[in-house]
Amino acid sequence: MRPQVLYPLFSDLSSLKGVGGRISKLLEKLLDSDKIANLLWHLPSGYIDRSYSPNIIDAPDNRIITLKVTVGKHLPPHNRTSPYRIECYDDTGFITLTFFKVKGDYVKNLLPEGSQRIISGKVESFNNKLQMSHPDYVVQTERINEVLGFETIYPLTAGISNKVLSKIQKQALDKAPELDEWIDASLLKQKGWDNWHNSLISAHEPKSEADLSPANKFRSRLAYDELLAGQLALAIVRQKYKKTKGRSIKGDGKLRHKLLEHLPFALTSAQKRVLAEIGEDMASETKMLRLLQGDVGSGKTIVALLTMLNAIECGAQSAIMAPTDILSRQHFETISTLADKIGVRTAILTGRTKGKKREELLSELKDGKIDILIGTHALFQDDVTFKDLACVIIDEQHRFGVQQRLDLSAKGNLADVLVMTATPIPRTLTLTAYGDMDCSRIDELPPGRQKIDTLAMPKSKMTSIIDGVKRALSTGTKVYWVCPLVEESEKLDLAAAEERYEHLHKIFGDKVGLVHGKMKGADKDKIMEDFAFGSTDLLIATTVIEVGVNVPQATIMVIEHAERFGLSQLHQLRGRIGRGSDKSTCILLYSPPLSETAQTRLKTIRETEDGFIIAEEDLKLRGAGELLGTRQSGLPEFKLADLSMHGDLIAIARKDAELIMSKDANLTSERGKNLRTLLYLFEKDQVANTLRSG
Ligand code: ADP
Ligand code: MG
């Protein structure tokens, strides 16, 4: 269970002073959490130096300073647009404070004539007179130390000011306990890192630009903590998984052989290689937990089917799980068509399988009358029992996190697990996301694929692009039109998509469809079906089409505001076309001027279709802070680690975690206990709870 020292950090945000209903909602949104700990991870984005406190005569123009003044005459405005002025002075000169739109007695009470005050803000000279408009601070002289010095600036959200957030942050930092060291002493020394508490406090008190860099000592240490917690959690999961005995699955190859005879193509050498790797895992008596990475169209489905057939040859059953209804049905269609030919029985189970049909299916499954069950998360509902499940395939990894993997292994079944992902991610990151798994890569596309023509065009060419779309539609082509990301807000994305839909609907009429993430599953499926098989030829979409759907007749894709998308995202989107035998074209519409990184991104995507190269480049270009929709990229998310800056730390954390597991697998040593605290600090509770109590 969570150690007591951490309790204060895991109280609700609302237990802090000044965090009422409204603020607490805003904070939750900002932090993506309702726990105090997440305030600690909300690191500053800047600082203001208020330490300069000259006499008025020495006050420089255009700089933030702190002054000690005597309040002189109040000069109320003579009309509605002019400001309220207050003359202030010290022994060396005068300064005028100005306030616009003053209500009631506010400034009178704040700055009574004849009183002394500390004021802080930006001074400007106006008609040769010094002036400060709306000082940031006006306090009584004894409170000078609250103002003088460095003020931390935090990333904000609308509705919370920096002052308010800073007060809340301070309370959180005051709650941060001293914690016993979990980092290896020699690493600590080598990196020159301070302890956790000091590093945290320093990270929240930047005094220079360098203090804001992820590369500085304080931030690096905190990033390492986060990475180590992640790696350790994965190592624990892996060990649990590998320790539980599996069964040896080694079919006679008859079904697989038959299937291969029915295929109109031969396997690529990459497919053969990964099948051999998988086969070895399955044959061994430890459970398989393997990741299969392969770009869109690299032929993972056949690999999945052949893997499942291996289990079926042994008289057992297999299951394949996809993240959405559409994807499950697509798998079902592909797989059942092939399975029927070789006498293998398939069925589909999703959230929409209900009532009598579901009952029948479940009883067939229990009796072993179904060999392959295909479906969504519904596959793992409590009442779904297999007669003898030996192989589980999970498609589209990034929606299936460590927690789910842990749940799956906790189900106590002996099944081998293969996780498939079409999101190629760089090697270092493979460790952060999938460090608990063995990895196979299909790094080769089937032969004869046509290159997709990818063009970048300024938005001003819209009219001629629409003309081009018109011509293409008249020849029976289907077209995807991807709408721009607006900001990290699905609502605004949707508004942009709806606007484009209205526009194109006026031109093309009922041929146009609209699909977006806010639609219900059934509605979405209907639209996708109309596009795949029906009368919709031009599909306006938000990024929901990124994962899944296979419509080979679609050979054109227009992506609006392509400069706002990440490289991997563009790659995933583009992967929706180029699936048939016809030449495909992808048009990247952009709004000039392009930033340098945006130019590099568009150039990269035009020049290569290799997902792994794109993923590496994507990582390099990240951190530029101008990308929208990074959440959908499928990469693991970190609060403190910056993957483009802290890449080297990932490898160290990985090694460290392995070493720890080899020496102290149950984390019972002195350091082990501190590492347990680390796991809870980063909310790896579920994993930490699986450790025997120390
Ligand atoms: P992925 O799931 O990796 O995106 P799929 O399994 O859907 O890719 O395969 C894409 C297409 O390529 C399918 O039409 C499939 O039949 C075909 N395919 C798979 N393997 C080969 C191969 N070795 N040679 C030719 N075509 C292949
Ligand atoms: Mg697939």
Side-chain angles (χ1 to χ4, degrees):
M1 290 297 122
R2 176 185 295 144
Q4 219 153 357
V5 270
L6 295 183
Y7 285 4
L9 298 182
F10 288 92
S11 311
D12 287 354
L13 289 169
S14 55
S15 67
L16 296 172
K17 253 197 295 179
V19 185
R22 187 183 69 91
I23 296 277
S24 113
K25 277 213 190 75
L26 291 170
L27 270 187
E28 254 183 76
K29 198 176 132 239
L30 181 68
L31 303 173
D32 218 358
S33 162
D34 61 353
K35 296 288 176 271
I36 291 174
N38 281 274
L39 282 167
L40 307 182
W41 315 147
H42 191 63
L43 294 183
S45 55
Y47 64 90
I48 295 174
D49 180 0
R50 296 190 189 280
S51 59
Y52 186 50
S53 178
N55 287 320
I56 290 179
I57 196 170
D58 297 324
D61 196 7
N62 244 324
R63 176 171 169 184
I64 289 182
I65 58 171
T66 302
L67 295 172
K68 184 175 175 184
V69 298
T70 305
V71 181
K73 260 219 199 89
H74 283 231
L75 304 165
H78 33 73
N79 61 41
R80 295 185 74 194
T81 52
S82 68
Y84 193 113
R85 281 171 229 268
I86 303 171
E87 299 287 353
C88 295
Y89 55 91
D90 67 5
D91 295 342
T92 67
F94 291 88
I95 184 166
T96 308
L97 308 187
T98 59
F99 296 85
F100 287 86
K101 295 193 181 153
V102 170
K103 285 202 191 96
D105 288 340
Y106 172 69
V107 287
K108 266 201 187 112
N109 297 333
L110 190 68
L111 292 148
E113 203 170 323
S115 64
Q116 290 213 313
R117 286 289 182 269
I118 304 299
I119 57 173
S120 184
K122 192 188 256 176
V123 273
E124 284 154 322
S125 100
F126 188 72
N127 287 341
N128 263 333
K129 278 181 160 172
L130 280 188
Q131 140 172 343
M132 188 183 286
S133 182
H134 290 263
D136 303 329
Y137 288 89
V138 176
V139 300
Q140 311 208 351
T141 47
E142 60 269 23
R143 290 173 57 194
I144 182 163
N145 288 332
E146 287 172 34
V147 179
L148 213 57
F150 288 84
E151 180 181 333
T152 300
I153 305 294
Y154 287 102
L156 299 174
T157 184
I160 303 186
S161 70
N162 195 59
K163 256 188 212 171
V164 168
L165 183 57
S166 295
K167 272 195 195 139
I168 296 167
Q169 288 282 11
K170 185 162 181 325
Q171 295 177 61
L173 287 167
D174 286 345
K175 284 184 193 288
E178 306 265 352
L179 296 172
D180 292 330
E181 189 56 70
W182 49 73
I183 295 182
D184 176 60
S186 61
L187 180 65
L188 207 61
K189 199 165 152 216
Q190 182 207 330
K191 294 280 182 193
W193 286 337
D194 204 337
N195 69 38
W196 177 77
H197 188 266
N198 291 349
S199 300
L200 181 72
I201 300 297
S202 300
H204 280 271
E205 293 176 346
K207 294 186 169 60
S208 69
E209 281 305 311
D211 285 353
L212 294 168
S213 158
N216 80 42
K217 281 200 311 193
F218 321 120
R219 289 198 182 203
S220 303
R221 160 160 191 152
L222 298 176
Y224 185 75
D225 290 337
E226 182 176 36
L227 292 168
L228 182 60
Q231 286 302 310
L232 195 56
L234 290 171
I236 292 168
V237 172
R238 177 179 173 82
Q239 180 189 259
K240 282 206 90 56
Y241 214 89
K242 288 288 167 186
K243 237 175 34 195
T244 34
K245 211 163 159 326
R247 64 202 266 200
S248 171
I249 295 288
K250 211 172 171 204
D252 59 11
K254 276 195 187 130
L255 288 173
R256 284 173 282 175
H257 194 77
K258 244 166 130 182
L259 176 73
L260 290 173
E261 280 182 342
H262 280 288
L263 291 180
F265 52 75
L267 295 179
T268 63
S269 55
Q271 284 170 320
K272 285 184 195 154
R273 192 190 64 242
V274 303
L275 278 165
E277 289 164 357
I278 293 166
E280 221 170 279
D281 277 2
M282 294 178 82
S284 99
E285 292 219 328
T286 41
K287 281 205 277 189
M288 170 166 78
L289 183 55
R290 185 170 283 277
L291 177 73
L292 176 61
Q293 275 184 294
D295 219 333
V296 174
S298 61
K300 294 185 294 298
T301 314
I302 288 298
V303 170
L305 180 53
L306 288 163
T307 300
M308 293 191 286
L309 291 180
N310 185 16
I312 294 160
E313 284 166 6
C314 297
Q317 293 164 296
S318 296
I320 178 164
M321 181 174 88
T324 65
D325 272 37
I326 301 185
L327 286 171
S328 312
R329 285 205 283 148
Q330 223 153 58
H331 275 315
F332 178 68
E333 262 145 47
T334 315
I335 289 171
S336 61
T337 310
L338 291 167
D340 287 350
K341 291 184 184 161
I342 57 172
V344 166
R345 299 156 298 179
T346 53
I348 177 163
L349 175 67
T350 71
R352 287 200 267 153
T353 320
K354 295 220 166 87
K356 191 125 188 281
K357 210 164 152 213
R358 186 168 186 277
E359 270 166 42
E360 268 172 33
L361 190 151
L362 291 187
S363 99
E364 283 181 12
L365 191 67
K366 210 167 169 179
D367 295 343
K369 288 185 187 143
I370 293 168
D371 300 312
I372 297 179
L373 184 63
I374 298 156
T376 54
H377 277 85
L379 292 188
F380 294 107
Q381 284 160 349
D382 284 339
D383 61 342
V384 179
T385 359
F386 290 79
K387 179 165 183 244
D388 180 17
L389 178 66
C391 173
V392 177
I393 311 242
I394 294 157
D395 194 12
E396 299 303 349
Q397 163 62 19
H398 63 266
R399 308 206 195 177
F400 191 75
V402 171
Q403 187 49 52
Q404 281 86 350
R405 279 177 242 155
L406 210 59
D407 291 347
L408 195 61
S409 74
K411 279 216 155 196
N413 62 51
L414 298 171
D416 286 322
V417 175
L418 180 71
V419 178
M420 305 199 294
T421 175
T423 314
I425 65 175
R427 284 198 190 273
T428 45
L429 294 195
T430 312
L431 295 181
T432 67
Y434 316 118
D436 55 333
M437 295 194 254
D438 299 298
C439 288
S440 292
R441 265 188 180 194
I442 308 185
D443 50 9
E444 173 190 0
L445 290 182
R449 274 298 143 77
Q450 292 220 44
K451 197 179 164 322
I452 299 172
D453 266 336
T454 304
L455 320 166
M457 291 186 175
K459 208 178 165 188
S460 54
K461 293 266 161 54
M462 180 76 89
T463 325
S464 63
I465 287 163
I466 290 176
D467 284 344
V469 167
K470 201 180 277 173
R471 278 193 304 276
L473 290 177
S474 71
T475 65
T477 297
K478 302 220 172 208
V479 178
Y480 286 109
W481 190 295
V482 180
C483 282
L485 291 172
V486 179
E487 53 181 52
E488 300 269 349
S489 149
E490 277 180 39
K491 216 158 121 200
L492 292 174
D493 288 351
L494 176 57
E498 276 171 341
E499 196 177 310
R500 184 60 66 218
Y501 172 77
E502 295 299 329
H503 172 205
L504 295 175
H505 190 263
K506 273 195 196 117
I507 301 173
F508 297 110
D510 291 339
K511 279 186 186 165
V512 187
L514 171 68
V515 66
H516 58 76
K518 284 254 145 58
M519 279 179 169
K520 286 208 200 81
D523 297 343
K524 219 187 309 189
D525 287 4
K526 170 88 174 59
I527 307 264
M528 290 310 304
E529 261 166 34
D530 280 349
F531 184 58
F533 310 111
S535 58
T536 303
D537 293 330
L538 173 57
L539 185 66
I540 317 295
T542 58
T543 49
V544 290
I545 52 160
E546 199 177 344
V547 183
V549 293
N550 188 21
V551 184
Q553 316 92 282
T555 58
I556 294 178
M557 174 175 285
V558 179
I559 303 177
E560 275 194 65
H561 273 295
E563 77 278 6
R564 294 183 186 170
F565 291 83
L567 263 180
S568 296
Q569 217 174 5
L570 288 172
H571 176 65
Q572 292 285 319
L573 285 167
R574 183 175 57 181
R576 300 297 118 215
I577 56 173
R579 305 198 133 221
S581 49
D582 290 342
K583 182 113 191 120
S584 291
T585 308
C586 178
I587 297 166
L588 308 169
L589 271 183
Y590 64 89
S591 297
L594 288 177
S595 71
E596 209 168 300
T597 45
Q599 281 176 34
T600 316
R601 277 203 305 271
L602 296 189
K603 183 162 176 281
T604 308
I605 201 80
R606 271 173 23 228
E607 286 175 355
T608 181
E609 280 181 55
D610 183 324
F612 289 103
I613 294 178
I614 287 170
E616 298 284 350
E617 192 64 26
D618 195 22
L619 181 64
K620 267 194 246 155
L621 294 177
R622 243 154 229 280
E626 54 179 73
L627 274 190
L628 297 167
T630 43
R631 291 227 169 127
Q632 290 144 2
S633 68
L635 295 176
E637 281 175 48
F638 292 96
K639 312 246 176 200
L640 297 162
D642 175 335
L643 296 176
S644 57
M645 299 289 278
H646 298 130
D648 57 327
L649 296 182
I650 297 173
I652 302 175
R654 163 80 166 177
K655 271 220 182 97
D656 205 4
E658 273 171 6
L659 197 68
I660 293 161
M661 290 316 284
S662 72
K663 288 207 292 213
D664 180 20
N666 205 42
L667 303 185
T668 46
S669 68
E670 203 46 49
R671 183 182 176 208
K673 281 179 198 143
N674 302 340
L675 284 162
R676 286 184 182 217
T677 307
L678 173 70
L679 288 173
Y680 285 104
L681 185 59
F682 284 98
E683 299 181 55
K684 311 286 181 201
D685 297 35
Q686 242 102 3
V687 176
N689 287 342
T690 66
L691 296 166
R692 262 177 289 123
S693 53

